[in-house]
């Protein structure tokens, strides 16, 4: 099963001039993303099912068994991807045996899922060991489980800081990750 139908063209007016336009065009061309019924919607929050589905596509869509989460139906469009990610140690879900497929994925969850995926692809994640995230105003807001992954994500520029209203650089670890 696939995610809900989306337009096939990649001529999205809502990405023209967007800071991530080139990256968005790249993931569309590679078949990792498509649009929504309203365009590409780059600022739409990414959810957990979509991220795992994208990684599953990137890995070549290997077949997997049943997802072992209480909230992932066997026939859901994302169940194979969630099962694959769980079997490969990329996701563990929540402490109450839920996956939370429709939950917006936070920036720290994004890093925490991409980090083991990178390791599974033999990508060197050691860059995070030397990345100093303490210069970010909200570094201590990062959940303990996510610190190494956030260090790696910052060190590889997968996650970048942003300036808050007071001119301070922040990571916004509990903020939503967008499609961009």
């Amino acid at each position: 099963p696939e995610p809900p139908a989306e337009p096939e063209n990649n001529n999205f007016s809502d990405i023209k001039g967007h800071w991530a336009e080139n990256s968005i065009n790249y993931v569309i061309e590679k078949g990792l993303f498509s649009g929504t019924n309203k365009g590409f919607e780059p600022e739409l929050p990414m959810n957990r099912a979509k991220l795992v589905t994208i990684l599953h596509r990137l890995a070549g869509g290997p077949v997997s068994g049943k997802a072992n989460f209480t909230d992932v139906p066997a026939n859901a469009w994302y169940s194979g991807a969630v099962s694959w990610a769980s079997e490969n140690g990329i996701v563990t879900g929540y402490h109450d045996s839920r996956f939370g497929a429709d939950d917006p994925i936070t920036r720290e969850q994004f890093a925490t899922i991409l980090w083991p995926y990178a390791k599974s692809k033999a990508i060197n994640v050691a860059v995070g060991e030397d990345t100093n995230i303490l210069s970010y105003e909200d570094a201590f807001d990062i959940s303990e489980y996510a610190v190494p992954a956030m260090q790696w994500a910052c060190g590889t520029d997968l996650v970048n800081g942003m300036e808050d209203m007071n001119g301070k650089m922040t990571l916004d670890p509990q903020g939503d990750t967008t499609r961009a």
Side-chain angles (χ1 to χ4, degrees):
E2 285 293 314
E6 300 173 342
E8 291 300 317
N9 76 57
N10 66 345
N11 198 10
F12 301 111
S13 62
D14 60 348
I15 66 168
K16 302 291 186 227
H18 191 278
W19 63 267
E21 181 177 0
N22 291 337
S23 297
I24 292 168
N25 282 324
Y26 177 84
V27 296
I28 291 169
E29 289 168 15
K30 296 296 181 187
L32 301 174
F33 271 78
S34 54
T36 70
N37 59 4
K38 296 180 183 176
F40 186 82
E41 295 189 275
E43 298 308 316
L44 188 69
M46 172 73 75
N47 71 33
R48 294 169 55 86
K50 267 295 201 187
L51 177 60
V52 170
T53 298
I54 290 163
L55 294 178
H56 188 240
R57 288 176 184 162
L58 190 59
V63 178
S64 291
K66 181 183 179 297
N68 291 323
F69 297 104
T70 59
D71 63 340
V72 177
N75 62 345
W77 60 265
Y78 52 83
S79 61
V82 172
S83 176
W84 164 83
S86 177
E87 289 171 6
N88 287 283
I90 296 166
V91 297
T92 57
Y94 296 126
H95 67 294
D96 60 358
S97 300
R98 290 182 317 107
F99 176 68
D102 293 326
D103 294 352
I105 191 157
T106 66
R107 291 166 55 87
E108 69 182 11
Q109 288 173 346
F110 174 78
T112 304
I113 291 173
L114 288 182
W115 192 43
Y117 178 79
K119 287 186 207 178
S120 78
K121 295 299 178 186
I123 295 171
N124 183 355
V125 296
V127 68
E129 295 168 6
D130 296 327
T131 302
N132 180 3
I133 58 174
L134 295 177
S135 61
Y136 294 100
E137 189 72 18
D138 57 353
F140 291 103
D141 294 341
I142 299 170
S143 299
E144 187 175 337
Y145 75 86
V147 170
M150 284 293 281
Q151 286 178 293
W152 168 75
C154 289
T156 59
D157 289 330
L158 285 171
V159 172
N160 294 303
M162 59 196 86
E163 197 170 319
D164 70 8
M165 295 184 335
N166 299 318
K168 306 274 185 180
M169 289 303 289
T170 64
L171 287 172
D172 192 20
Q174 282 81 40
D176 290 342
T177 298
T178 65
R179 288 172 50 88

